[in-house]
Amino acid sequence: TLRVTVRQQPLHAPPILFAHRGASAHERENTLAAFGRAIELGATGIESDVWITSDGVAVLDHDGTIGTLRKRPISACRRDELPDHIPTLDQLYDLIGADVHLSLDLKDPEALDAVLLSARRVGAAARLWLCFHEWTALAEWRDRAHDVRLVDSTRLRSMERGPERRAAQLRAAGIDAVNLHQSEWTGGNVAVFHRFGRFALGWDAQFDRLIERLLHMGLDGVYSNHVDRLTESAAPYV
């Protein structure tokens, strides 16, 4: 593991402070209350998970099911059958506007076109970071999603032939960024992806020392449930 003693500069300056599922340590996750609270606390980005309903509406939820005893997938439900706490992507954009970065984990690939339509409706495509766990699928979507940032959400163990090979593949495919768990980032890995012009994002940074460590290494975006800790720890870096 490479220990970083000198601060590395991010490609994206200032780095983006993503509120994971909104301010989920402060409000119910993936709700308009959580998203609004995140903005109040100083987040410069929002993260959520997106699904598509049976009538073609992009909605934000983590598990993708409703009900307790008899669970139903969101894809089998109409928008008007969902609980009130599950917002639509359009509702989120109406709340945050076009100037806040939005990272969406595309849980259902069928939601892609609805997501792009929502982002373009408000002129927010340039600040949309669309995440998926298969970079080859992202590469196939590049033409359809020409105006958004595509993100390879992965783990180091999934990188056949290592980070440098993956960075080269992402650059060749036009995929903008890689998102790793905070524990997998080292100064060396950040430098590799930056050398290939790919943004480096890190998730699950819940404590001050972890947030500071990632930003010191030059990450371009950090995800946390604790937006108050995120913004306070990031103050010297933004």
Side-chain angles (χ1 to χ4, degrees), residues 113-169:
D113 288 333
V115 168
L116 295 174
L117 184 64
S118 290
R120 290 165 181 163
R121 175 183 67 88
V122 295
R127 290 182 174 83
L128 174 60
W129 302 73
L130 196 58
C131 306
F132 197 64
H133 61 277
E134 295 179 2
W135 74 267
T136 52
L138 288 169
E140 294 175 358
W141 301 336
R142 179 72 277 179
D143 288 343
R144 288 161 67 189
H146 60 89
D147 50 354
V148 309
R149 303 285 176 86
L150 297 180
V151 182
D152 177 23
S153 291
T154 188
R155 302 301 292 257
L156 288 178
R157 64 177 178 268
S158 300
M159 295 184 182
E160 186 178 354
R161 298 171 61 185
E164 187 167 8
R165 174 61 175 169
R166 178 60 62 88
Q169 291 171 322

Side-chain angles (χ1 to χ4, degrees), residues 10 22 26 30 38 44-45 52 55 59 70-71 87 124 127-128 135 139 148 156 163 169 182 186 196 202 208 210 219:
H26 311 271
N30 285 323
T44 57
I52 193 76
D55 51 346
V59 297
R70 297 182 59 186
K71 291 186 178 294
R127 290 182 174 83
L128 174 60
W135 74 267
V148 309
L156 288 178
Q169 291 171 322
Q182 54 84 11
T186 66
F196 284 85
D208 297 346
L210 294 178
L219 259 71

Side-chain angles (χ1 to χ4, degrees), residues 60-220:
L60 307 173
D61 183 68
H62 178 63
D63 296 327
T65 60
I66 63 170
T68 51
L69 297 179
R70 297 182 59 186
K71 291 186 178 294
R72 297 176 62 196
I74 283 177
S75 60
C77 303
R78 299 187 312 273
R79 164 58 184 154
D80 61 11
E81 295 179 294
L82 301 183
D84 291 340
H85 72 268
I86 297 180
T88 68
L89 180 55
D90 282 341
Q91 286 176 313
L92 173 58
Y93 271 130
D94 289 342
L95 176 67
I96 67 173
D99 295 330
V100 175
H101 291 273
L102 178 59
S103 174
L104 289 180
D105 191 351
L106 191 66
K107 292 296 186 71
D108 184 348
E110 296 298 320
L112 176 61
D113 288 333
V115 168
L116 295 174
L117 184 64
S118 290
R120 290 165 181 163
R121 175 183 67 88
V122 295
R127 290 182 174 83
L128 174 60
W129 302 73
L130 196 58
C131 306
F132 197 64
H133 61 277
E134 295 179 2
W135 74 267
T136 52
L138 288 169
E140 294 175 358
W141 301 336
R142 179 72 277 179
D143 288 343
R144 288 161 67 189
H146 60 89
D147 50 354
V148 309
R149 303 285 176 86
L150 297 180
V151 182
D152 177 23
S153 291
T154 188
R155 302 301 292 257
L156 288 178
R157 64 177 178 268
S158 300
M159 295 184 182
E160 186 178 354
R161 298 171 61 185
E164 187 167 8
R165 174 61 175 169
R166 178 60 62 88
Q169 291 171 322
L170 297 184
R171 182 172 69 177
I175 297 169
D176 304 278
V178 63
N179 190 14
L180 291 174
H181 187 263
Q182 54 84 11
S183 64
E184 297 189 307
W185 280 116
T186 66
N189 286 339
V190 174
V192 165
F193 283 98
H194 280 179
R195 178 156 53 85
F196 284 85
R198 304 304 94 183
F199 297 107
L201 310 177
W203 60 277
D204 195 25
Q206 310 300 355
F207 302 100
D208 297 346
R209 60 181 177 81
L210 294 178
I211 297 167
E212 293 167 6
R213 170 180 171 271
L214 296 176
L215 294 173
H216 193 78
M217 284 191 294
L219 259 71
D220 303 289

